[in-house]
Amino acid sequence: MGGRLRTTGQLVRGALLVALAGTACRQEAPPAAVPAAVQPVVAEAVAPVAAVRPDAVAQPEAAGLPAPWVPPQPELAADGVRDALRRAAAALAEGRLYRNADDAVPLYLAVLALRPQERAAQRGLETARRQLVASVRALLERPYEQRRALDEAAEQVAVLVRLAPDGPDAPELHRRIQAARHLLALNRSAEQALRDGDLDKAASAFAQVEVLEAGNSRAAQGRAAVESALLRRAEDAAGHADFDAALGWLQRAATLREQAPTVVDARHRIEAMRAAQLVALRDGGLRDLASAKGLKPAREKLEQALRIARPGDEAVATLRQKIDLVAHYGRFRPGQVFTDALEDGGRGPQMIVVPHGGFQMGAGYAEPGASDVERPEHYVRFDRGFAMSITEVTVAEFGRFVAATNARTRATRRGHSVVYDERSGNFVRRNGADWQAGYNGAKAPLDNPVMHVSVRDAEAYANWLSTQTGHYYRLPSEAEFEYALRAGSSGRYPWGNAGTPPPRSGNFTGSEDVSPSGRHWKNAFVGYGDGYWGAAPVASFKANAWGLHDMGGNLSEWVADCWHASYRRAPSDGAAWYNPGCRQRVVRGGNWANAPEQTRAAWRLSQDSDMTSARIGFRLVRGI
């Protein structure tokens, strides 16, 4: 103080970290009668801090009073008392109390040494004592430069001990200084830990302060700084897509203040960051799927999204669904109906997308009417969907191919095919019957399924269609045909296990069917009639569950497989079981003249690749 009790100075708030500028000392109401010269001047409001009760401070224990202050000795002669009293009063008014020989307290003490009963000196010392008490209390409340303030307060308590060794002020103020020093040490230790990034240590030390002094503003501000640091770490982790770590930091921050608005707000921000990252991953993945990049980068983004998403997240579900669609269906979707444009301006057959999946192919050993060529029953899975003709290829569709290529089918070159003879009720060879003929050899309507074609004729049509459209068309594999025929069912017949087909379910041999000359089938579904003797126009009956018509009736159909007498070692992925150069091919699906047992879903037949008949047609599949 340079010989003068300093009551104010420039208010410099020592900010250790953001929000660390409080005080570990207590603030009390200023005592009455404290002269203006020693009133503390505060430049801004500081939250009041409750005084520490001596019995509330666990440590340190208050030691004995400090050694009394030893006053500087002014030179004072007996005839100089009056002048000394004048100079002491002036020093007292100016707040110069004790540091130098010319300050108030040393002068008053020197006067009393000469004149012990000098009342002016006694009154002056009492005033000085009150000012010192007020000064110490003000120093304890100072919100800045606390260590220096406490040192100064301790020095002034030593003066009080010299002035009033048996008074109550010095012991009480000494205890408060000791407690404030302990709290200051804890706060400073916590603040250093905070600077070092040791948030656990910082939080623990600030908590100790608050146990010792509830409402300590510096500790409260320090705890808020720890909370802020934890929240910054949470948001940084979220920014790096580590939301598990972010949640951990949030939970630690929440332990500092129950239901803290800052933690709640941070949680909302982090969830918003999660949502934004998931939307970005979803949109990026969708762009990948629509570009030449394809599936791999989209799947990588899905994996990232799954790592950070909560269960049931909509953005993740959308991306997963789109990836599944592309993986299994390309740019199509299950059940989608489409046709491809032909180079000659026409349209190809109407196709429908068959869903990917798996099924049990063939017949079990207990199935009535089954044979060993349909066994063993085995599981087949399609990891990708495919498109199949909704109907059998029609006379009109096949005729476009013949006209465009001048193709000569097997029956045309050979000059005959197998037709139904109404007069005898048998199937016979008839000259002139080819792809243009119907079931009885007469000219077929254009909307009828094309028949009298060999498997090689069907493959030639598929190759032409592939060239015309730029897409790969082919005969279905045997597994694809049975999978599409069953359409998710597993019964004995395409419609299930009922011994009679449902009404209008297909063109089968029914006991109610009648030929033009009045014939009836000898082996037929009892009580069923479809109104046709011979092939019916395509799509005359109900489609199955996957939108396909006439899979189990109307005409049996060529498939791509070579004939094998059982399913041992058959492909499990649904691919055609084909041996180059094989002569015997597979025919699947019942037809208008088949016995009921030949209408079963697992029924299969071996036919020579040159075979043409009024009971065999075909349909195609297309890769997607």
Side-chain angles (χ1 to χ4, degrees):
M1 294 173 58
R4 181 182 185 87
L5 178 64
R6 301 190 187 189
T7 62
T8 182
Q10 184 181 8
L11 185 60
V12 180
R13 304 176 77 75
L16 293 172
L17 287 171
V18 176
L20 289 178
T23 176
C25 302
R26 298 156 304 285
Q27 179 173 329
E28 298 177 347
V34 176
V38 294
Q39 290 284 357
V41 178
V42 182
E44 59 181 271
V46 177
V49 179
V52 176
R53 302 190 315 274
D55 60 353
V57 181
Q59 54 177 309
E61 293 291 340
L65 289 174
W69 165 72
V70 177
Q73 297 296 321
E75 293 182 3
L76 183 63
D79 58 355
V81 169
R82 183 179 299 277
D83 181 63
L85 288 173
R86 180 185 58 77
R87 287 187 288 119
L92 186 64
E94 294 173 6
R96 292 184 290 109
L97 298 183
Y98 64 90
R99 291 189 180 277
N100 300 311
D102 202 38
D103 289 344
V105 173
L107 287 171
Y108 284 134
L109 290 174
V111 169
L112 289 174
L114 293 174
R115 296 182 182 178
Q117 303 302 318
E118 178 60 53
R119 295 181 63 81
Q122 291 174 352
R123 288 194 300 270
L125 283 179
E126 176 59 22
T127 300
R129 187 193 65 78
R130 289 198 302 268
Q131 287 189 15
L132 285 169
V133 170
S135 176
V136 171
R137 288 175 175 166
L139 289 168
L140 285 170
E141 300 300 333
R142 181 181 291 181
Y144 59 93
E145 295 184 341
Q146 292 172 314
R147 178 182 292 178
R148 182 181 300 176
L150 292 176
D151 289 345
E152 190 173 340
E155 182 181 81
Q156 293 177 18
V157 167
V159 177
L160 287 173
V161 171
R162 172 65 177 80
L163 296 182
D166 298 326
D169 294 322
E172 183 264 339
L173 292 174
H174 178 63
R175 285 192 295 269
R176 289 182 61 185
I177 290 170
Q178 294 293 87
R181 279 175 166 165
H182 180 53
L183 294 179
L184 177 61
L186 284 175
N187 273 326
R188 290 171 67 88
S189 172
E191 290 158 2
Q192 183 61 50
L194 185 59
R195 285 192 294 270
D196 295 341
D198 191 344
L199 301 184
D200 288 336
K201 181 178 179 181
S204 175
F206 285 130
Q208 289 181 55
V209 173
E210 292 185 309
V211 168
L212 295 173
E213 182 182 52
N216 182 280
S217 61
R218 186 166 180 170
Q221 292 166 353
R223 183 179 57 182
V226 173
E227 179 185 289
S228 296
L230 289 168
L231 297 182
R232 284 194 298 273
R233 291 188 181 184
E235 293 190 29
D236 184 63
H240 289 84
D242 189 351
F243 288 93
D244 289 340
L247 180 59
W249 292 118
L250 281 176
Q251 289 173 338
R252 290 173 65 178
T255 63
L256 298 179
R257 287 193 300 163
E258 188 174 354
Q259 298 298 321
T262 51
V263 177
V264 174
D265 290 344
R267 192 180 301 277
H268 289 323
R269 289 195 301 274
I270 286 171
E271 287 305 316
M273 293 170 68
R274 186 201 302 266
Q277 290 181 32
L278 290 172
V279 168
L281 288 169
R282 178 200 65 192
D283 293 346
L286 294 179
R287 285 194 295 271
D288 291 339
L289 293 175
S291 70
K293 294 181 179 180
L295 281 170
K296 183 177 179 180
R299 282 177 169 154
E300 290 172 350
K301 290 179 176 64
L302 177 61
E303 289 176 4
Q304 295 176 46
L306 288 170
R307 283 196 294 269
I308 67 176
R310 294 188 181 279
D313 183 84
E314 184 177 348
V316 173
T318 298
L319 181 56
R320 189 204 302 271
Q321 181 183 43
K322 294 296 184 182
I323 288 175
D324 286 345
L325 284 173
V326 171
H328 300 308
Y329 306 105
R331 298 192 179 186
F332 294 88
R333 63 181 183 277
Q336 181 176 344
V337 176
F338 68 94
T339 61
D340 288 323
L342 305 180
E343 281 189 356
D344 64 11
R347 307 292 300 186
Q350 195 173 44
M351 311 293 288
I352 190 167
V353 178
V354 175
H356 80 289
F359 78 116
Q360 288 296 124
M361 182 175 178
Y365 285 95
E367 182 174 314
S371 67
D372 287 343
V373 300
E374 301 164 8
R375 301 185 182 108
E377 190 177 26
H378 58 291
Y379 184 73
V380 174
R381 177 163 186 82
F382 299 94
D383 288 330
R384 190 172 176 85
F386 54 90
M388 178 175 273
S389 308
I390 289 178
T391 68
E392 295 148 331
V393 174
T394 65
V395 173
E397 289 167 339
F398 194 82
R400 187 178 293 119
F401 152 68
V402 173
T405 62
N406 294 316
R408 288 175 56 80
T409 66
R410 178 59 177 164
T412 302
R413 295 196 310 272
R414 191 169 50 197
H416 61 77
S417 186
V418 176
V419 303
Y420 175 75
D421 179 50
E422 177 68 28
R423 184 170 55 184
S424 65
N426 294 319
F427 283 88
V428 299
R429 179 186 296 177
R430 180 160 297 170
N431 292 334
D434 66 3
W435 66 272
Q436 301 175 81
Y439 79 98
N440 57 4
K443 188 172 181 63
L446 294 178
D447 61 355
N448 270 26
V450 68
M451 57 191 83
H452 307 297
V453 289
S454 70
V455 69
R456 302 191 193 282
D457 296 331
E459 290 170 339
Y461 173 75
N463 291 336
W464 171 78
L465 197 60
S466 299
T467 301
Q468 283 283 304
T469 63
H471 299 287
Y472 179 43
Y473 283 82
R474 58 178 172 80
L475 288 174
S477 70
E478 187 176 3
E480 288 170 335
F481 190 94
E482 185 175 333
Y483 177 65
L485 178 147
R486 291 184 180 274
S489 69
S490 58
R492 184 184 181 200
Y493 297 103
W495 56 85
N497 289 314
T500 301
R504 304 299 302 162
S505 57
N507 184 6
F508 313 118
T509 53
S511 63
E512 303 299 317
D513 293 337
V514 182
S515 76
S517 62
R519 292 182 181 277
H520 290 269
W521 299 111
K522 293 180 179 178
N523 186 10
F525 290 106
V526 177
Y528 184 76
D530 52 51
Y532 289 92
W533 192 277
V538 298
S540 296
F541 301 92
K542 293 178 181 178
N544 71 7
W546 288 350
L548 297 159
H549 293 271
D550 304 319
M551 292 295 295
N554 217 22
L555 294 183
S556 297
E557 301 178 25
W558 291 112
V559 295
D561 300 61
C562 294
W563 175 256
H564 295 83
S566 75
Y567 287 134
R568 290 183 177 84
R569 296 183 299 278
S572 61
D573 61 358
W577 197 0
Y578 184 79
N579 309 107
C582 68
R583 292 283 305 175
Q584 294 300 112
R585 303 291 285 271
V586 180
V587 169
R588 293 299 304 260
N591 61 67
W592 61 273
N594 265 12
E597 286 185 355
Q598 296 171 322
T599 310
R600 291 178 301 104
W603 178 78
R604 59 197 296 259
L605 179 68
S606 171
Q607 290 285 278
D608 186 90
S609 57
D610 284 337
M611 174 68 181
T612 63
S613 167
R615 293 192 287 182
I616 303 175
F618 70 99
R619 73 180 71 217
L620 299 179
V621 299
R622 171 198 185 286
I624 56 175

